[in-house]
């Protein structure tokens, strides 16, 4: 997840390494606009071999680094 | 259209991805082509109809017209021609009489539509297919004809022409070669990766030479 956010948003490795579960994402990271959200989701699909449906995408899953990681982990397991 | 390298011998015809990804990968692709020129392989980077400096408006762009332009260019150049396609650029060479195709992280048309649709909440591929007028997606106006072109567009997969697929290590799909690197086509701010560009140019040059025998 750190690699995806770093690669897509162009964040430095040091900056993404400092993310923890409580780090706010959507609305807090200026790099993460709606276009970038689309890129992050698509890159996650490609790397994890998952399919994210539109109705699964909401503000909650994008709110924090922890929420997004938990969402991706649950998709990868299912 | 940009040209690099010698005026004889095999020529690489490069295609950037469609839409926004073209801006993100242009400098990177030019770096690859400059490195190829250093290895004495010529190349062109055409502005396909409806892209780059083309006089055709984006809203009138058609994938089928780009493919036709690619076919015409190969015939006009009259040199051994090798396609280099980045991402959805791999869709453009499908009908041209290429001597070989080298693709970096190729994607099918439907995946392009899915990604574009995702930038507009409430729109999905099936709504796009019902469009009766141009739809704005991520700053591009796509006509119903272009949407239909993309929906059915596949990367060439014939058996009789050499093909090589290169992907990044982070991509689990099959490839002939995987290299470490970040997907520049996803990044909002256009970037470059000169070391990766050099690696890819080395791979293209060796592959073109092996095809030429």
């Amino acid at each position: 997840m750190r690699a995806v956010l770093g690669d897509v948003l162009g964040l430095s490795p040091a900056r993404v390494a400092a993310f923890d579960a409580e780090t706010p994402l959507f609305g807090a990271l200026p790099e993460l606009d709606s276009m970038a959200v689309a890129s992050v989701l698509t890159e996650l699909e490609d790397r994890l071999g998952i399919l994210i449906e539109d109705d699964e995408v909401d503000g909650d899953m994008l709110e924090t680094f922890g929420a997004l990681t938990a969402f991706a982990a649950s998709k990868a397991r299912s | 259209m940009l040209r690099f390298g010698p005026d004889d011998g095999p020529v690489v015809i490069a295609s950037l991805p469609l839409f926004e990804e073209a801006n993100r990968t242009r400098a990177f692709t030019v770096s690859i082509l400059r490195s190829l020129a250093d290895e004495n392989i010529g190349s062109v980077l055409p502005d396909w109809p409806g892209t780059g400096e083309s006089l055709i408006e984006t809203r009138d762009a058609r994938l089928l017209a780009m493919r036709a332009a690619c076919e015409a260019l190969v015939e006009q150049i009259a040199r051994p021609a090798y396609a280099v396609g980045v991402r959805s650029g791999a869709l453009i060479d499908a009908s041209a009489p290429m001597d070989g195709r080298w693709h970096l992280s190729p994607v099918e048309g439907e995946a392009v539509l899915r990604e574009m649709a995702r930038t507009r909440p409430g729109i999905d591929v099936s709504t796009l297919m019902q469009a009766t007028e141009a739809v704005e997606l991520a700053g591009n106006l796509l006509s119903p004809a272009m949407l239909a072109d993309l929906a059915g567009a596949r990367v060439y997969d014939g058996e009789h022409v050499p093909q090589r697929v290169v992907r990044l290590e982070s991509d689990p799909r099959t490839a002939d070669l995987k290299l470490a690197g970040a997907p520049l086509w996803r990044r909002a701010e256009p970037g470059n990766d000169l070391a990766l560009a050099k690696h890819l140019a080395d791979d293209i040059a060796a592959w073109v030479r092996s095809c030429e025998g």
Side-chain angles (χ1 to χ4, degrees):
Chain A
M1 183 61 69
R2 287 178 210 276
V4 168
L5 290 175
D7 285 349
V8 174
L9 306 180
L11 306 177
S12 69
R15 201 163 152 209
V16 287
F19 283 2
D20 62 28
E22 305 301 316
T23 304
L25 296 180
F26 193 60
L29 278 183
E31 292 88 349
L32 191 62
D33 57 19
S34 58
M35 279 283 292
V37 167
S39 295
V40 167
L41 297 178
T42 309
E43 184 67 14
L44 279 177
E45 288 184 329
D46 288 354
R47 290 199 195 189
L48 301 177
I50 59 176
L51 205 61
I52 301 172
E53 302 295 341
D54 286 348
D55 57 15
E56 295 175 305
V57 181
D58 57 30
D60 291 346
M61 70 172 276
L62 291 161
E63 195 176 350
T64 61
F65 182 69
L68 185 57
T69 307
F71 171 80
S74 73
K75 288 296 290 186
R77 274 196 303 270
S78 60
Chain B
M1 174 152 83
L2 298 175
R3 290 166 183 273
F4 305 88
D7 293 330
D8 55 2
V11 63
V12 159
I13 298 176
S15 296
L16 296 171
L18 301 167
F19 314 123
E20 180 60 21
E21 287 189 13
N23 304 323
R24 299 173 179 174
T25 55
R26 173 176 282 272
F28 177 62
T29 304
V30 166
S31 298
I32 294 173
L33 301 181
R34 285 193 204 285
S35 284
L36 270 181
D38 292 342
E39 306 203 33
N40 216 29
I41 291 182
S43 62
V44 295
L45 181 61
D47 293 307
W48 300 120
T51 73
E53 305 288 306
S54 158
L55 297 176
I56 293 173
E57 300 273 350
T58 314
R59 66 177 332 154
D60 297 323
R62 293 280 312 261
L63 178 63
L64 295 185
M66 297 179 199
R67 285 182 167 177
C70 187
E71 284 176 51
L73 181 64
V74 173
E75 279 159 21
Q76 183 201 327
I77 285 180
R79 288 159 61 184
Y82 292 86
V84 162
V86 179
R87 300 276 298 158
S88 52
L91 297 169
I92 295 169
D93 63 51
S95 58
M98 294 287 179
D99 290 276
R101 292 175 174 79
W102 182 102
H103 292 152
L104 176 63
S105 301
V107 286
E108 307 285 2
E110 187 164 356
V112 177
L113 284 182
R114 233 173 85 72
E115 282 194 53
M116 297 285 283
R118 183 162 264 169
T119 61
R120 282 258 314 254
I123 285 199
D124 61 19
V125 174
S126 61
T127 21
L128 290 179
M129 289 300 98
Q130 291 157 15
T132 53
E133 52 188 39
V135 183
E136 193 194 329
L137 293 171
N140 299 276
L141 273 175
L142 279 75
S143 65
M146 179 57 150
L147 294 167
D149 286 356
L150 282 169
R154 311 273 314 193
V155 176
Y156 178 88
D157 68 349
E159 287 175 10
H160 304 295
V161 180
Q163 254 187 300
R164 185 165 172 84
V165 174
V166 177
R167 294 187 184 277
L168 300 178
E169 279 176 355
S170 55
D171 186 340
R173 285 167 287 194
T174 54
D176 298 299
L177 173 71
K178 291 205 176 181
L179 292 172
L184 292 168
W185 47 87
R186 297 264 189 242
R187 198 166 279 181
E189 293 297 317
N192 205 340
D193 183 338
L194 294 176
L196 181 60
K198 174 75 169 66
H199 257 108
L200 294 172
D202 289 348
D203 186 67
I204 295 167
W207 174 77
V208 166
R209 291 206 174 93
S210 75
C211 293
E212 288 286 288

